Amino acid sequence: MDWLKTSARIMIVSDLDHTMVDHHDPENLSLLRFNALWESNYRHDSLLVFSTGRSPTLYKQLRKEKPMLTPDITIMSVGTEITYGIAMVPDNGWVEILNQKWDRNIVLEETHKFPELKLQSETEQRPHKVSFYVDKSKAQEVTKALSEKLENRGMNVKIIYSGGMDLDILPQGAGKGQALAYLLQKFKKEGKPPKNTLVCGDSGNDAELFSIPEVHGVMVSNAQEELLQWHTENAKNNPKIIHAAERCAGGIIQAIGHFGLGPNISPRDVAETADNHLEDAGPAHEVIKFNFFCEKWRRAEIEQCDMYIESLKASCDPAGSLVHPSGVEQCLHDGISALKKTYGDKQGKGYRVWVDRVLPSKISSDTWLVKFVKWEILGGSSKAVSALQS
């Protein structure tokens, strides 16, 4: 995050499963809408944070399955792990905080006495998180009894029940809310606190996110009963928290507009016309718009009309070029002309395109260098096609 020298215009902190990612949307349309909005309007001066209950293993698996962006910060394992950037560099200061009054062996000893608890897979057992499945009808009783036993052993822990089946045991200082509070304090000490923070969730383990005083919050329309009940009991009259009318990422886009945090019209929501052009949209927007056009062209979702191709060429400098990371350079106009041969070649094949990590740099008075990673998904499998555009 060293590239961000000042306060983030907005920091979005979102849960993944059933919040950012809609598992009931096989086309991933709401997620793709958010991706296009973020990369065209926010990537250059804002922060994207994924806060998930998933372990690093399952988080990486989800990235292979869904068209997800690369976040600036990843909070995993129900707020017990914080990492930064593409390389997912761990925050050692957070680890030191969680080590206080935490003994994983004692947790395992005491939970072994409860036959109602079924240990989750090995990938979900982390240094500061022990995870189980428990029947919903037994959850409250088990949580109370287990809490007393661990307290008697001198353990200061937090027990979180969510999703109607998941029970996580963490150090008392851990959790999605505490991890976010830690980050906000860290940014404040560095002199660059985010100007606005929007938290997004759907289940009980997201409730802590909404408890941070200075944030805006959105419960997506498909939020679970446990989160809605928490809201009724704790934040019903808080105007900074809304229950969206749209599902998952669509609800996040809705919240950006509701709170006036910035643009909330995704390039994917703008109708394509031969003369469609936004004034001063910026190079990032043009890259998103161009790649979205290519997707629709190859899916045959727009009319096969040479006017579209000529309009694209007219909006590009004749000296513009595309540079593949391999070093192969192609005239941008030639690349656009080559699209004529690809019309409809991906029709009915589940083809989608999204662009990640769009970072424009002005290298002269009238020239931009735009770095980005282009992803393509076809029939459920995805591949990255990196590129530079100038």
Side-chain angles (χ1 to χ4, degrees), residues 105-256:
N105 291 328
I106 292 178
V107 172
L108 290 172
E109 285 177 23
E110 293 301 327
T111 52
H112 187 68
K113 300 172 184 177
F114 289 81
E116 301 92 338
L117 295 175
K118 181 182 178 183
L119 205 62
Q120 292 186 20
S121 65
E122 188 61 33
T123 62
E124 298 313 287
Q125 311 306 325
R126 305 296 298 167
H128 298 98
K129 180 174 81 78
V130 185
S131 297
F132 300 88
Y133 297 120
V134 62
D135 187 86
K136 188 175 183 179
S137 62
K138 302 283 187 180
Q140 188 172 356
E141 176 186 344
V142 169
T143 298
K144 182 179 178 181
L146 178 58
S147 180
E148 291 174 355
K149 285 186 174 294
L150 289 171
E151 187 176 345
N152 291 337
R153 294 289 302 271
M155 293 289 292
N156 192 14
V157 302
K158 175 185 293 182
I159 302 176
I160 298 177
Y161 180 68
S162 63
M165 58 188 274
D166 300 313
L167 188 142
D168 300 306
I169 305 173
L170 326 169
Q172 183 60 43
K176 290 186 175 184
Q178 279 88 338
L180 174 56
Y182 169 83
L183 286 174
L184 289 171
Q185 184 62 27
K186 187 173 184 176
F187 289 134
K188 187 175 181 180
K189 286 181 179 178
E190 294 172 354
K192 50 182 182 180
K195 294 175 182 175
N196 284 293
T197 300
L198 174 66
V199 301
C200 322
D202 78 297
S203 71
N205 69 13
D206 299 317
E208 290 184 354
L209 292 173
F210 297 92
S211 301
I212 307 298
E214 59 265 42
V215 305
H216 295 88
V218 56
M219 303 178 295
V220 291
S221 70
N222 52 292
Q224 296 182 30
E225 179 186 347
E226 62 211 27
L227 181 58
L228 296 177
Q229 183 177 343
W230 175 89
H231 177 257
T232 299
E233 295 173 355
N234 299 277
K236 186 176 181 180
N237 298 316
N238 185 350
K240 296 181 74 174
I241 299 177
I242 65 167
H243 187 192
E246 294 191 45
R247 292 179 56 85
C248 300
I252 299 174
I253 294 173
Q254 179 188 345
I256 292 172

Side-chain angles (χ1 to χ4, degrees), residues 8 30 37 43 89 132 162 180 222 238 309 321-322 362 366:
S30 63
L37 174 65
R43 172 67 77 176
V89 178
F132 300 88
S162 63
L180 174 56
N222 52 292
N238 185 350
I309 301 297
S321 61
L322 283 168
K362 196 168 187 178
D366 59 352

